[in-house]
Amino acid sequence: MKTVLSAFLIAAMPLPVAAQIEAMPDQLVGKYHFEEEGFAVDVHLNRDGTALYNISGQEGVRSNGYWTVRGDRIHIFNKPGPVRLDPAGSPKRDPGVALRVVATLPNGAPADGLAVTWPNAAGLFYMSDGRNEARLEDGPVTGEVTIVREADSKPLATFMMTPGAPNDHRFTYHPSDVEPFDYEARALDPRADVLEVELGSASAKLRRVR
């Protein structure tokens, strides 16, 4: 059973919209632009908490979402499409494990990007190759088990675990056509006239458009 996020990272999940807006310094609101050799990046940070992230070039990316501030970092999130995690058959009892959760795509392939947690768990746990198993020697699993999308901690399914209850649960995952992302940026000066924005493994310095 592999730990993916500690309690520290659970506390860093996206905030409610009202809290996001309260946490945003006014000087960051505005439009930022970078352009070089036909490659351009635009970021709009709006006062109502919405955001636009646009990359033009060979591999274009355009997304509307929202933004917030955590410490010295600006986080820009998109708005993913609908997603579902449906039960696949009735849960069964396996005396060899404390809990088993398995998720596959409609074509039978293992589902990616999911994690599972419960009240007495140490955090969130990856579902590697679409599955996660809690061992008997790690103690019983009790309470409400929650399966979430790892990228944005969105809850997708829950079920209750009680002593002697079925502990082998199977699901079919219907992922979003638009998967969530979290782009990071930081202001390079007190007036936030220049933002350094991540671009995969690289970054670009965007200047405020006045």
Side-chain angles (χ1 to χ4, degrees):
M1 188 167 59
K2 299 178 181 178
T3 303
V4 55
L5 294 177
S6 66
F8 170 80
L9 289 179
I10 292 174
M13 291 177 184
L15 301 170
V17 172
Q20 293 165 15
I21 295 173
E22 290 173 3
M24 296 183 308
D26 288 342
Q27 66 265 30
L28 292 171
V29 173
K31 299 179 180 180
Y32 298 84
H33 179 77
F34 168 87
E35 187 167 353
E36 186 176 274
E37 298 179 355
F39 175 77
V41 182
D42 287 279
V43 169
H44 298 179
L45 304 180
N46 302 315
R47 194 171 300 279
D48 64 358
T50 59
L52 168 71
Y53 189 102
N54 184 59
I55 302 176
S56 60
Q58 271 191 326
E59 297 183 6
V61 174
R62 181 180 177 86
S63 182
N64 291 293
Y66 61 97
W67 66 286
T68 188
V69 177
R70 297 179 188 156
D72 65 346
R73 298 287 174 169
I74 303 153
H75 292 260
I76 305 168
F77 303 95
N78 68 341
K79 292 181 180 178
V83 61
R84 293 197 338 263
L85 186 65
D86 298 331
S90 299
K92 298 177 174 57
R93 179 73 189 168
D94 183 344
V97 298
L99 173 67
R100 178 185 294 117
V101 179
V102 179
T104 57
L105 300 176
N107 64 5
D112 291 326
L114 300 178
V116 60
T117 190
W118 53 90
N120 61 331
L124 282 171
F125 298 96
Y126 279 121
M127 290 178 61
S128 178
D129 293 326
R131 67 169 51 220
N132 183 268
E133 291 187 358
R135 302 176 301 176
L136 291 172
E137 53 265 38
D138 292 330
V141 175
T142 58
E144 185 176 72
V145 176
T146 304
I147 304 169
V148 303
R149 181 167 54 190
E150 181 198 335
D152 60 356
S153 301
K154 177 182 176 65
L156 300 176
T158 62
F159 57 87
M160 291 298 298
M161 281 291 297
T162 57
N167 63 351
D168 188 328
H169 292 256
R170 310 283 168 136
F171 295 88
T172 301
Y173 183 44
H174 302 267
S176 168
D177 290 338
V178 178
E179 287 297 285
F181 64 66
D182 173 4
Y183 286 120
E184 288 191 16
R186 64 190 181 104
L188 297 184
D189 61 283
R191 294 179 57 187
D193 284 333
V194 181
L195 290 188
E196 184 177 54
V197 178
E198 69 170 25
L199 300 171
S201 59
S203 64
K205 294 179 174 60
L206 281 63
R207 298 195 174 273
R208 185 186 295 272
V209 178
R210 297 192 182 278

